[in-house]
Amino acid sequence: MPHIKVGGIEIYCEIYGTGGSTLTMIRGLGSDLLAWFPQSTELSKHFRVVAFDNRGAGRTDKPDEPYSIKQMADDVNGLLDALDIQRTALLGISMGGMIAQEFAIHHPEKLSCLILGCTTFGGPESVPPPLELLNAILAGPDADEKTRRLQEQALFCNDTIASHRDVIAAYGEAKRQFPIPPFSLARQADAIRRHDTASRLGQIQAPTLVMTGTGDRLIPPQNSRLITARIPGAILKELPGGHLFMTEYPDVFNRSVMEFAR
């Protein structure tokens, strides 16, 4: 069944492929598993792919109460237990990367490897997002035209905005299927504000790949460099694209994930 009871909520989950190893994917703020459309088909050729909607998003329950990144990492752990998955490669982007950091710290025995994309360790030592772009993202899908332009700048690089409107349209169509309610978007955003793993990243034991888009305006690439410096043995890849570089340049992103996870 696509809905699985975990920690008092129903989590919506889909599994693709029948590969010998498992890859679990965690999406970011306000997003749901449909946004993995450039990844799901290709990665499922090589892995058993587990994708799900975070607490508050998509078809997962949306309790109107405080969320935390640690709580969402516990959701991931409970989901894996319910699916009887003992070990997985873990891919998290943006807020999903924050969740993946907490998971790696608390459940190292379940990780074959860790892949973090366009994310931050949070707290005062991180490089914050530009306030104008952050506020535009938090305005949600019903924003005015000026704010929608800022949302595009936050998510996509200049080349995509100027020359690849089809990429933006495809992402927008995926997002429109199950729009996140304003209250749960705010709950997720508050969890992000309180996220801080800066002093604990040295505890991560799994082989780690950190990726960023060189044109990411929302979570500046310096955050990925800072993360890489704090996780023992971590590898950094800077790829073309903005915050959603996995949507803009899926071939290079997917290839990087497959090569590292295998």
Side-chain angles (χ1 to χ4, degrees), residues 37-55:
F37 66 90
Q39 279 71 55
S40 300
T41 299
E42 184 59 33
L43 294 180
S44 68
K45 296 176 184 176
H46 307 273
F47 307 97
R48 180 192 185 200
V49 175
V50 177
F52 63 95
D53 296 339
N54 289 314
R55 176 182 294 258

Side-chain angles (χ1 to χ4, degrees), residues 11 45 49 91 102 105 113 129 163-164 184 191 194 199 234 245 256 260 262:
I11 292 180
K45 296 176 184 176
V49 175
L91 165 61
E102 286 286 359
I105 290 167
C113 68
S163 305
H164 300 283
S184 54
R194 290 181 281 111
S199 65
F245 66 107
S256 297
F260 188 77
R262 290 162 75 180

Side-chain angles (χ1 to χ4, degrees), residues 173-194:
E173 179 59 30
K175 289 277 288 183
R176 280 191 290 273
Q177 298 299 308
F178 300 97
I180 186 169
F183 79 86
S184 54
L185 180 65
R187 294 293 191 186
Q188 287 190 351
D190 187 57
I192 289 172
R193 292 187 189 99
R194 290 181 281 111

Side-chain angles (χ1 to χ4, degrees), residues 188-208:
Q188 287 190 351
D190 187 57
I192 289 172
R193 292 187 189 99
R194 290 181 281 111
H195 166 69
D196 187 350
T197 55
S199 65
R200 297 180 287 136
L201 289 182
Q203 301 175 33
I204 294 178
Q205 303 171 20
T208 301

